Every structure is written in C-alpha cells, then in structure tokens.
C-alpha cells in the first residue's frame, strides 16, 4: 500500500513540475493522445476551439494537421535530437501557422519509449514570439537598471546639495554672528566719542562720526538680514492652512506708520486660504509691501493693490502684488532676486539687497514661484503662485 502511495505522490510531483513549465507543454502517449497539458497548451486549445466545447480527452490530430501515425513517427525522430514542426489545424488571429516542439522520450523499463514530452520552442503563441518577448524583457531590465542608476545619482546629488546647504548655512551664520560683536563695539565707541567729545569736535569730524555710525547701522541691518536668510536655506516648512486675508491684515497693521508716512494706499481684494507657514508668509508680504513703499515714484502717491486670480487648477493659486512705483527695467528683473542685488545707491534708497532674495526663498520653500513683471499703469507686479490649502 505504501508503494502505491509513493507512486501516486511521485506522479503528482511530476504533474506539478510539468504544469510549471513556461511554454506549451504536453505529455503524449504512443497513440498521440494527450494525457497532460500545461496552462499554455490548454490556453492554445481553448483558443483554437473557440465557441466549441473542448473535448475532455484530445489528441494531437485534434489540434494539429497531422495523423496519429505520422505524429508518433515524428515524435520518435524528434526524440533523437531534432525538432518537431506541427502545423495548427485551424487559423486564428494572433496564432502562428506552425509550432516547433522539442521532444523528450520517456521509457518505463522498455527499450521503446511509451510516452513523449513535447515543449514548444516559441513563447506565447497567443501573443508575441518568444524572441520578441525575450527582447522586451531584456529592454525592460536595461531600463530598470538605468532608472536605478539615475535614482542613485539623484540621491547622491540631493545628499551633496543638502550637505552644501548645511555647510553654507553654518558658514554664513558663523560669519554673520562673529561680525556682530566688533560692530557693536565700534558703535559703542563712536557713541562714547560723540557723547564725551562732541563739543571738541569740529563740524567735519562730527560729520565723519555721523557717517561712520550710519555705515555701522547699515552693516548691522545687513547682518541681521543675512542671519534671517541663512535660516531659510534648506528649511522644510511645516505647512498649514493660512487665510491670506488675515495675514495681510496683520502686515498692514504692522506697516501702518510706513504707509501713513508715505501717504500710500493699500487695497486688498478677496484672497484665498493657502498652504503655508504663517510667520514666513507674514515676512514675505511685509517685504513686498515695504519694497513697494520704499520704491514709490516721487511724482505720484503710492498705490498698492493685492488680489488673487481664479485658480487654474485645484493645486495652485496666483497672487498679484501691484504697485505704481519706479518700476524695474526688463534687463534687471531676473537679477533683483540675487543675493545683495541693488539697483539704487544706499544714499538714494536704504536696504541690504536681501529682501527679495528672502521672498523668493520663502516661496520656493513653500513649493511655489515668485516672478516680477511690468505694471501697465506704471510700476511693477510681483506674481506669486502658492499651493491652495486642501480640505482634509
């Protein structure tokens, strides 16, 4: 009984291994009857019979244009090392006219084989030839290899960029911080000199002391702005829904003295809720409004209009900050966002040349864009694209 069970298990293992073959495979006896067919062969037979019922037992002549006798003879010849070419009985779209099989003979203790294993040399007969499938597979592997290599290069470049940003941030912070101490010392000495010896100084020397203090003041502002800018390098901002109308209301309140002193008018239209960091958005619009006031045209009262366009998608919204100031010539519009870029002398308009640089950095950290264009009514229009807050 045990030997029968072992034989049954052995037969089951043979059938499982046979079914796992990737091509069309059949186990055929000496009468050309098919005893076992794998999934590929069964798929081929179903496609050939189409609407007709597939016989529970079928033979090679049911599928191929060959008699049982000729099939056995061809299998005996092919088992010696040749291939066996079988023409399909029916013509169907997507099927080749003939299939080529390799044949293996099975001998169960006899000289003459009593069963044959037929395995096709082509790939999926219902699809593309095997060589085409193999070529596609090799192409896919090559593309995957290139993509992996490209991804590794991107990861390395990203890591190098992060390291460079961190190094730049540390360097700029250290330099700026170290410069503050001697500036404060010199400023204190000038104050002492001004307080103790102002009566002894003639007008020319007093003017030199005053100019020195103004220079120190500008350098102090520059260093503070540089420190603020270094905090933005490589920063990842935690975003939350930010109502821009509330942000602008706070900014206008903070700049009330400047707005009143310049006799400026600030008008805001309906503004959306964007995804951002409240403090950085406040810094962004405070810089833009301060610049519009600072660079106002001498021959007309300053007017600043802030409005939003209808979102062209569910992702981004366009905000426009328009002024009627002195404007920016086309050749300078790209460089005004560069570090320390200034279009006017300090004695004309004060500033560090970092305000718009910080603005663009803030917008970039929020995955948006900031550009400038000409205002048809005179002045400039700063165009921001920011992410709309999602309703989660």
């Amino acid at each position: 009984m045990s030997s029968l069970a072992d034989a049954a298990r052995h037969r089951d293992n043979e059938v499982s291994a046979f079914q796992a073959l990737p091509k069309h495979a059949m186990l055929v006896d000496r009468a050309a009857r098919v005893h076992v067919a794998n999934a590929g062969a069964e798929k081929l037979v179903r496609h050939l019979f189409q609407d007709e019922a597939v016989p529970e037992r079928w033979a090679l002549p049911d599928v191929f244009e060959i008699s049982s006798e000729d099939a056995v003879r061809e299998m005996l010849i092919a088992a010696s090392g040749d291939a066996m070419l079988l023409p399909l009985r029916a013509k169907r779209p997507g099927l080749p006219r003939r299939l080529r099989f390799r044949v293996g003979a099975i001998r169960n203790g006899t000289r003459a084989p009593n069963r044959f294993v037929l395995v096709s040399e082509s790939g999926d007969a219902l699809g593309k030839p095997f060589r085409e499938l193999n070529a596609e597979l090799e192409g896919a592997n090559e593309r995957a290899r290139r993509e992996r290599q490209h991804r590794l290069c991107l990861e390395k470049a990203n890591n190098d960029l992060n390291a460079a940003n961190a190094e730049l941030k540390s360097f700029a912070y250290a330099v700026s911080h170290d410069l503050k101490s001697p500036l404060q010392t010199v400023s204190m000495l000038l104050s002492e000199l001004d307080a103790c010896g102002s009566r002894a100084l003639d007008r020319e020397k007093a003017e030199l002391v005053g100019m020195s203090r103004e220079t120190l003041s500008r350098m102090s502002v520059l260093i503070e702005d540089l420190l603020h800018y270094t905090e933005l390098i490589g920063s990842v901002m935690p975003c939350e829904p930010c109502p821009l109308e509330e942000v602008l209301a706070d900014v206008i309140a903070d700049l009330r003295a400047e707005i009143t002193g310049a006799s400026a008018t600030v008008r805001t239209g309906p503004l959306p809720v964007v995804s951002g960091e409240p403090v950085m958005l406040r810094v962004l619009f405070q810089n833009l409004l301060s610049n519009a006031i600072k660079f106002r045209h001498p021959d007309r009262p300053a007017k600043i209009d802030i409005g939003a366009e209808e979102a062209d998608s569910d992702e981004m919204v366009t905000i426009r900050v328009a002024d009627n100031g002195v404007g920016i010539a086309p050749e300078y519009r790209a460089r005004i966002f560069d570090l320390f870029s200034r279009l006017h002398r300090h004695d004309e308009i004060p500033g560090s040349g970092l305000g718009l640089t910080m603005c663009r950095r803030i917008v970039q950290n929020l995955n948006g864009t900031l550009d400038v264009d000409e205002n048809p009514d005179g002045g400039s229009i700063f165009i921001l694209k920011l992410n709309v807050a999602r309703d989660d």
Side-chain angles (χ1 to χ4, degrees):
M1 191 62 121
S2 148
S3 61
L4 289 174
D6 290 343
R9 280 195 298 272
H10 181 69
R11 186 166 56 253
D12 290 342
N13 289 338
E14 282 184 337
V15 171
S16 297
F18 188 79
Q19 289 289 354
L21 290 171
K23 305 176 185 179
H24 314 95
M26 297 174 287
L27 184 63
V28 185
D29 64 15
R30 285 186 67 97
R33 294 187 297 263
V34 177
H35 287 258
V36 182
N38 74 345
E42 289 178 353
K43 181 180 177 183
L44 173 66
V45 172
R46 284 196 304 272
H47 194 66
L48 284 169
F49 279 87
Q50 288 189 342
D51 298 332
E52 302 175 26
V54 178
E56 186 175 344
R57 307 282 293 179
W58 52 278
L60 292 181
D62 296 323
V63 177
F64 302 98
E65 289 184 355
I66 193 169
S67 65
S68 297
E69 295 78 10
D70 289 342
V72 173
R73 184 175 64 254
E74 292 290 334
M75 287 189 292
L76 287 169
I77 295 171
S80 63
D82 292 331
M84 180 179 181
L85 199 61
L86 293 176
L88 291 172
R89 180 166 293 281
K91 294 181 179 180
R92 295 284 185 265
L95 288 179
R97 186 70 187 89
R98 297 176 295 179
L99 285 178
R100 188 181 181 88
F101 289 90
R102 288 289 179 184
V103 180
I106 299 176
R107 296 175 175 84
N108 290 334
T110 60
R111 286 189 63 187
N114 51 19
R115 287 187 299 174
F116 302 90
V117 175
L118 278 66
V119 180
S120 69
E121 288 188 338
S122 63
D124 184 1
L126 300 178
K128 298 180 179 180
F130 179 72
R131 62 179 177 274
E132 291 185 24
L133 293 171
N134 189 53
E136 286 190 4
L137 180 61
E138 289 179 357
N141 287 337
E142 177 61 22
R143 287 193 298 274
R145 185 191 67 78
R146 287 199 301 267
E147 287 175 3
R148 284 195 302 271
Q149 187 176 6
H150 182 60
R151 188 166 60 250
L152 290 174
C153 290
L154 284 178
E155 288 176 0
K156 182 179 183 305
N158 189 52
N159 291 335
D160 291 345
L161 180 60
N162 288 336
N165 279 339
E167 186 177 356
L168 173 62
K169 186 173 182 178
S170 299
F171 172 76
Y173 184 86
V175 170
S176 302
H177 190 271
D178 291 346
L179 282 174
K180 289 180 70 176
S181 180
L183 276 180
Q184 290 170 350
T185 302
V186 174
S187 180
M188 182 186 67
L189 291 175
L190 286 173
S191 297
E192 290 291 329
L193 179 62
D194 193 22
C196 297
S198 58
R199 294 177 184 174
L201 295 175
D202 57 31
R203 176 181 293 181
E204 185 176 351
K205 292 177 181 177
E207 287 180 357
L208 288 175
V209 170
M211 290 169 60
S212 299
R213 294 183 66 178
E214 289 177 5
T215 302
L216 288 173
S217 177
R218 287 199 302 270
M219 289 186 67
S220 180
V221 171
L222 174 60
I223 290 170
E224 286 296 328
D225 285 349
L226 187 58
L227 285 172
H228 291 318
Y229 180 73
T230 58
E231 293 172 0
L232 298 173
I233 298 175
S235 298
V236 178
M237 296 185 183
C239 291
E240 61 183 75
C242 297
L244 284 186
E245 291 184 5
E246 295 179 11
V247 173
L248 263 298
D250 291 339
V251 169
I252 291 170
D254 291 342
L255 297 176
R256 181 61 60 192
E258 291 182 42
I259 294 170
T260 303
S263 300
T265 303
V266 180
R267 296 180 297 189
T268 61
L271 297 171
V273 178
V274 300
S275 177
E277 202 282 324
V279 175
M280 288 296 103
L281 284 173
R282 195 162 168 170
V283 172
L284 167 66
F285 284 101
Q286 187 163 337
N287 271 291
L288 291 176
L289 266 63
S290 291
N291 267 13
I293 296 169
K294 188 187 302 181
F295 294 96
R296 61 187 180 273
H297 199 284
D299 298 332
R300 52 180 177 253
K303 292 182 180 179
I304 306 166
D305 292 306
I306 305 155
E309 294 181 1
E310 289 188 11
D312 52 4
S313 69
D314 295 334
E315 301 292 330
M316 307 289 286
V317 64
T318 300
I319 311 296
R320 292 178 178 268
V321 180
D323 63 61
N324 65 340
V326 295
I328 303 167
E331 61 268 25
Y332 297 125
R333 287 175 193 161
R335 56 170 281 202
I336 61 167
F337 297 104
D338 295 342
L339 277 168
F340 308 116
S341 178
R342 291 183 52 84
L343 304 182
H344 302 81
R345 298 196 310 270
H346 281 288
D347 57 347
E348 294 176 333
I349 300 176
S352 64
L354 274 170
L356 289 177
T357 308
M358 280 195 287
C359 287
R360 175 166 276 187
R361 175 62 68 175
I362 290 170
V363 174
Q364 287 175 342
N365 287 356
L366 295 174
N367 297 316
T369 61
L370 172 61
D371 296 293
V372 65
D373 203 352
E374 180 182 5
N375 188 347
D377 298 328
S380 303
I381 300 178
F382 286 87
I383 305 163
L384 300 91
K385 285 187 181 291
L386 299 173
N387 287 289
V388 178
R390 295 180 178 273
D391 295 325
D392 294 331

